[in-house]
Amino acid sequence: MTTSKVYIETFWQIHRMIEEAGLQPGDRLPSERELAERLQVGRSSVREALRALELLGLIETRRGEGTFMKPFGEHQLIQLLGSFILQGNREKRDLVETKLLIERTCLQLACERMTEEKFEHIAQVEHTYHLFFRRIVEATDNYLLLRIWLVLHDFFEHVYTIDVPSEFYDEMSQALQKKCCVEAVAVYERYVMQNMSKDK
């Protein structure tokens, strides 16, 4: 089983364990070591699964105390995204299309709402796709978009790899500084869509 499949399976095992145990907000989860032993998987897979659950708002980690349940509803987003992870080719395609549509929307909003302070915040970040684009999403001033993007990107990274050249960051920065939405989207389509490769 590939690393990504172990991570996804661990995610669902922990999710089922939470439901079966009837854990409520404020209840403490077993430690990483205990979960790894109980589920018979590596601690790295447990760590990634817990991170995904935290991004979805199910749990929170308190330094020196452990991991605890947060208040939650039906978590429809988990069910929705989970049904698209590592399934058939059509589902993977839909996941990609959804992420690309959201990122285009984020680019347009970020351009429209760009300020000198926001641009400096983007320009100073390390040139890795996740960190760079997160700053762009933050520039939209839309917390819901940011949260959805974080969840999508976290799952996405376990299925696909986005490898863009340094020119992407330079050209995107220029477009954002000029607040040129058309140019920003064109740069995105030229580099991101053409450099997305299946993660084996």
Side-chain angles (χ1 to χ4, degrees):
M1 185 179 291
T2 65
T3 301
S4 58
K5 287 184 179 179
V6 172
Y7 151 72
I8 296 299
E9 179 59 28
T10 303
F11 171 89
W12 286 113
Q13 285 181 307
I14 295 175
H15 187 241
R16 285 193 296 270
M17 183 197 73
I18 289 171
E19 290 186 330
E20 291 170 0
L23 296 182
Q24 299 298 314
D27 289 347
R28 183 175 178 176
L29 271 69
S31 67
E32 278 186 15
R33 180 181 58 79
E34 292 171 324
L35 286 171
E37 291 177 355
R38 183 182 303 185
L39 303 177
Q40 297 186 332
V41 296
R43 290 184 65 172
S44 61
S45 295
V46 170
R47 192 174 301 116
E48 289 187 72
L50 289 174
R51 179 170 176 263
L53 289 167
E54 188 165 17
L55 285 171
L56 288 165
L58 265 171
I59 62 175
E60 63 178 341
T61 301
R62 303 173 191 169
R63 186 179 295 275
E65 296 183 46
T67 304
F68 297 83
M69 295 298 300
K70 291 181 66 176
F72 59 89
E74 296 181 354
H75 297 293
Q76 294 174 332
L77 186 57
I78 297 177
Q79 302 297 338
L80 175 63
L81 290 176
S83 67
F84 284 87
I85 302 303
L86 297 176
Q87 302 295 322
N89 290 330
R90 179 177 178 179
E91 286 78 12
K92 291 176 183 177
R93 182 202 66 194
D94 290 349
L95 177 64
V96 171
E97 287 182 352
T98 301
K99 183 174 185 292
L100 296 180
L101 283 169
I102 287 177
E103 291 190 340
R104 285 197 195 94
T105 299
C106 289
L107 273 175
Q108 292 172 335
L109 282 176
C111 281
E112 293 170 3
R113 300 172 180 177
M114 188 60 59
T115 63
E116 185 175 338
E117 182 180 359
K118 288 179 181 178
F119 176 74
E120 289 300 320
H121 191 57
I122 294 171
Q124 293 170 5
V125 75
E126 179 185 349
H127 282 183
T128 61
Y129 188 83
H130 173 78
L131 294 176
F132 186 80
F133 212 91
R134 174 173 178 151
R135 292 286 176 89
I136 292 175
V137 181
E138 289 173 348
T140 67
D141 293 327
N142 187 312
Y143 178 74
L144 180 57
L145 263 180
L146 173 61
R147 184 160 181 175
I148 292 173
W149 181 83
L150 285 170
V151 173
L152 275 173
H153 188 73
D154 188 64
F155 279 118
F156 185 89
E157 282 190 318
H158 292 276
V159 185
Y160 292 91
T161 298
I162 298 179
D163 183 21
V164 293
S166 59
E167 289 82 2
F168 164 76
Y169 302 103
D170 296 335
E171 293 179 28
M172 181 61 74
S173 295
Q174 292 172 13
L176 292 172
Q177 188 173 29
K178 293 186 293 185
K179 302 177 68 171
C180 182
C181 298
V182 173
E183 185 177 332
V185 171
V187 171
Y188 176 82
E189 292 178 346
R190 181 163 63 253
Y191 288 106
V192 176
M193 295 180 68
Q194 293 182 12
N195 286 280
M196 188 184 302
S197 60
K198 184 74 176 295
D199 186 357
K200 304 297 184 183

